[in-house]
Structures are given as C-alpha cells and as structure tokens.
Amino acid sequence: MTTRFLAATFTAAATAALLATSHAAFAQASGKIKVGLMLPATGTFAALGTAIENGFRLHVAERGGKLGGREIEFVRVDDESDPAKATDNVNKLVKRDNVDVLVGTVHSGVAMAMARVAKETGTLLIVPNAGADAVTGPMCAANIFRSSFSNWQPGYAMGDVVAKKGHKKVVTITWKYAAGDESVKGFKEAFEKAGGTVVKELSLPFPNVEFQALLTEIAATKPDAVYTFFAGGGAVKFVKDYAAAGLKKNILLYGAGFLTDGTLEAQGADAEGLLTTLHYADSLGTPRDSAFRLAYAKSYKLQPDVYAVQGYDAAQMLAVGLEAVKGDISKKAEFAAALQKAKIDSPRGAFSLSKSNNPVQDIYLRQVSGKENKVVGIAAKALTDPGRGCRL
Ligand code: PHB
C-alpha cells in the first residue's frame, strides 16, 4: 500500500516535472523572440539609428515577421549616443525587459558598454554600426557579433590610397573618442608604412561642431591632404565648413566613407568630388544590391545608405543563427558556430566573419558625384580586421 502510494506519488510528480520541462522547451522555441534595439533616436546620429532600424525591419518583413520560425518583437531604447547613460540603458533591456538579443548601436563608446554587459550576462549582441576596435578585439566574445566594420578597416584602406596618390604630409581631424581615434590610427598605420607622415592630429570633443579654429590651423599648416572621420549631422557641417573656409580647392579632403554617407542631400555641391573609403557604395549595381535598394525605397520612401545595409545584415545574421538552432536561442554555441561558418548575402557583397566575429569585406574607394557615392575602385580586397587582443 505504502509502496504503491509512493510509486503513484512519484509518477505524478515525475509527470508534472516532465510536463513543466516540455512546456518550458515549447515556450522557448515557439514564443516571440525579444529583440532589444538600442539606437540613437536623438542627437547628431539620429538619422543613422533610423536607417539601421529600417534596414533591420525590412529583412524581418521579407521573412514574414519571423526568423528561425519565431515571431520577432521589438523593445526600443533611445541611447542618445551618450556613453554616460549606456550601462543603465543596456541593463534596462537585459534585466527589466529580458530581451533575448541586443542589437546596437551607432556610437563606439556606447557600444563598448553594451559589449561589457553582453559579455557579463552571456546575452547575444549584434553591433549594426559602432566600429570600436575593442568590441572585436580585447572585448571579443563568442556571443558578440558585428554586421558593420571595425574603425580600423576604412581608415587603414584610406592610408594606402592617400599614399599611392603621392601625398607625403597629412593632417588628421576628428572627434576625440574611440571611433575618431581608431579611424585615424588605422589611417596612420597604412599611410606611414607606405612612407607618408601624419604631421598633426587635430580633434574636438564629440559631438561638437565648432570647427573654425581647427580649419584655420589646417590652412596655416598647409599639408598635402587632410584625413577625417566625422559622421551624421557633424559630417554635414564639417564638409560645408571645409568648403566655406576655402580649403576644398587647395587641400584635398579624404575621409572614412561616413563623411558622405546618408549626408549628400544636405551637403550639396560642397561634397562633390570627395573621395572616401567604405564597405558600401551607391552604385554597386549588383542584382542583390539593386533588389535591396528598390525594396528599401518602396518601404520607406528614402534611399538606403550604409547604415540601412548594416541594419539589414544584422537581421540576416540573426536569421542565420536562429535557423541553425531552430528558434531555440538558448543554444548559444550552435548559434555562434553557424555564424562562424556563414556567408552573409549582403547588399554590399557577400561577407564572412573573422575569428573575432567582424566582417571580412572589400573596402570600396568611392567618389561623390551628384547625390551618389560612386565606386571608383576597390581600396582593399577582403580586408580582415587584425582582431588585436582577441582571445577566442
Ligand atoms: C562610431 O562611433 O563607431 C561610429 C559612429 C558613426 C559612424 C561610424 C562609426 O558613422
């Protein structure tokens, strides 16, 4: 009697436990995937955040709202491109909203805070812009991926281009923060290896746009050329101020392609002819890119830019990972292994990920012509960020 009672109790408990387990597994693989979008909705990078979100949503919509069989739900935070608020913002998404995956952001300083929390908590993170070298360098992790670039990549590619043009003395100018510093560092590495000299490194705090005193200093220094990293609203003003100061005619201006991406409407004739390096351009003309551009323009009544592509590819990367684990996002090792093996069918051209999860990609040399960044060549083929300091 007692034995039978115990057996019956055991069976009931075991059944309940089994039911609970399978219920959890079912919920895990069938409920919605919560994507925490942490992007700037205000400030100098606001338009960049919008383009990234548009691109991400476009790819999700193309798949009927589901990735790996699971519906996608968004939770959004405006990070204001403010590193001082970044840890609180990302903790809200991870701890309060319990997101399954983080997608963000534009600003390198904010992205480093996201990477820190992602690493500590094991939350998946896909970075759809910020180039902070550390994210796929010393801070790299198996759960941290980038769909964009490292700050080193466009800078390094441009260093070679400017040296090959025969320029010997260059002044650099940028915002004083990780992205500006690292873009200049990449430029300098290639430029000086090829025999050039960076004679002066000018900077101002992010996101200031009081360029006048620095432009006067450039005029007085008389370098052969200038290399710059600015983006968003700041890039619009820099290009206009450079021309207004009368420098454009005398000292060639080169930049990481953010200088003229998503900004040409506002820069007008002041941007005409500028040469920049980037992993995207407006005139690729491949069937893949043309289809993407058409779909984007139809959905948003806007022309896409590099930020839209990076957002779109972040969704493609999430799709690859989720498909490999059949929607069970708790299988992080399999998710990561699938991305390590994947070729992402990007509008920029297909890319794979380096060991530290940064895109291995061609860097185009582009020239502004009218309202487009036209390809004039490939500055660096299949450029791989060295991933310095990454141990994976
Ligand atoms: C960055 O902070 O890493 C950053 C911001 C804007 C860009 C590119 C890089 O366009």
Side-chain angles (χ1 to χ4, degrees):
M1 180 72 184
T2 316
T3 327
R4 224 188 306 151
F5 175 75
L6 275 178
T9 311
F10 173 77
T11 309
T15 309
L18 259 176
L19 275 174
T21 316
S22 62
H23 181 74
F26 181 74
Q28 187 110 77
S30 71
K32 291 184 181 175
I33 290 277
K34 255 195 196 183
V35 174
L37 280 182
M38 186 160 147
L39 293 167
T42 51
T44 198
F45 292 157
L48 288 57
T50 304
I52 289 168
E53 182 168 349
N54 286 347
F56 195 98
R57 286 181 185 270
L58 176 62
H59 187 66
V60 173
E62 284 175 354
R63 290 173 170 261
K66 287 187 176 179
L67 304 181
R70 296 186 63 181
E71 247 176 84
I72 300 298
E73 175 185 356
F74 294 100
V75 187
R76 301 162 75 234
V77 165
D78 173 10
D79 67 39
E80 304 168 54
S81 296
D82 186 349
K85 297 180 184 165
T87 301
D88 280 352
N89 280 330
V90 67
N91 275 328
K92 262 187 240 160
L93 289 172
V94 172
K95 295 185 178 145
R96 183 193 66 189
D97 300 322
N98 270 309
V99 300
D100 295 297
V101 51
L102 289 164
V103 175
T105 186
V106 171
H107 184 287
S108 273
V110 178
M112 284 192 274
M114 294 183 78
R116 212 165 292 123
V117 172
K119 199 164 176 162
E120 276 164 22
T121 60
T123 312
L124 291 169
L125 166 63
I126 305 176
V127 180
N129 182 69
D133 290 345
V135 166
T136 53
M139 303 177 81
C140 75
N143 59 312
I144 298 177
F145 308 89
R146 190 144 50 191
S147 67
S148 51
F149 61 92
S150 72
N151 290 321
W152 178 90
Q153 283 178 310
Y156 186 86
M158 189 50 108
D160 252 355
V161 169
V162 172
K164 285 197 181 112
K165 296 241 175 233
H167 301 306
K168 297 281 182 240
K169 276 182 10 183
V170 164
V171 169
T172 63
I173 177 166
T174 189
W175 279 313
K176 186 85 208 131
Y177 82 114
D181 291 346
E182 292 168 0
S183 183
V184 164
K185 207 166 157 213
F187 173 84
K188 194 171 166 177
E189 184 184 331
F191 184 59
E192 297 201 331
K193 198 156 58 180
T197 312
V198 170
V199 293
K200 204 171 260 182
E201 296 182 32
L202 303 173
S203 63
L204 72 174
F206 175 88
N208 290 8
V209 291
E210 304 312 321
F211 301 122
Q212 216 46 56
L214 297 174
L215 292 174
T216 304
E217 198 170 340
I218 290 172
T221 309
K222 295 191 179 63
D224 302 335
V226 168
Y227 173 76
T228 189
F229 166 90
F230 288 109
V236 170
K237 179 146 192 302
F238 183 76
V239 164
K240 295 190 86 59
D241 287 3
Y242 196 84
L247 292 174
K248 194 179 170 206
K249 294 187 299 291
N250 305 315
I251 304 170
L252 286 173
L253 177 63
Y254 297 90
F258 314 106
L259 187 68
T260 57
D261 227 273
T263 56
L264 292 177
E265 240 9 279
Q267 288 163 334
D270 291 339
E272 188 68 21
L274 292 182
L275 284 167
T276 63
T277 40
L278 203 63
H279 47 289
Y280 189 59
D282 297 314
S283 65
L284 295 177
T286 56
R288 181 68 181 99
D289 188 46
S290 302
F292 163 76
R293 292 183 76 88
L294 191 65
Y296 190 91
K298 260 195 184 158
S299 295
Y300 303 109
K301 316 285 174 251
L302 281 173
Q303 287 306 310
D305 54 21
V306 69
Y307 310 104
V309 171
Q310 294 168 168
Y312 186 84
D313 291 341
Q316 294 211 79
M317 286 165 63
L318 181 57
V320 165
L322 280 175
E323 259 157 33
V325 299
K326 301 196 170 44
D328 184 355
I329 203 161
S330 66
K331 295 184 171 159
K332 294 198 177 127
E334 284 140 79
F335 184 105
L339 274 168
Q340 271 287 304
K341 283 200 301 263
K343 261 222 166 314
I344 306 301
D345 185 22
S346 172
R348 78 189 79 171
F351 69 82
S352 55
L353 294 176
S354 66
K355 268 206 215 87
S356 57
N357 291 329
N358 190 67
V360 175
Q361 56 196 344
D362 293 350
I363 306 293
Y364 303 103
L365 178 63
R366 310 113 43 91
Q367 183 159 37
V368 176
S369 168
K371 293 286 149 63
E372 289 201 330
N373 287 288
K374 295 227 162 95
V375 184
V376 295
I378 294 187
K381 186 93 197 130
L383 189 62
T384 308
D385 181 273
R388 292 173 185 131
C390 169
R391 255 169 269 126
L392 264 183

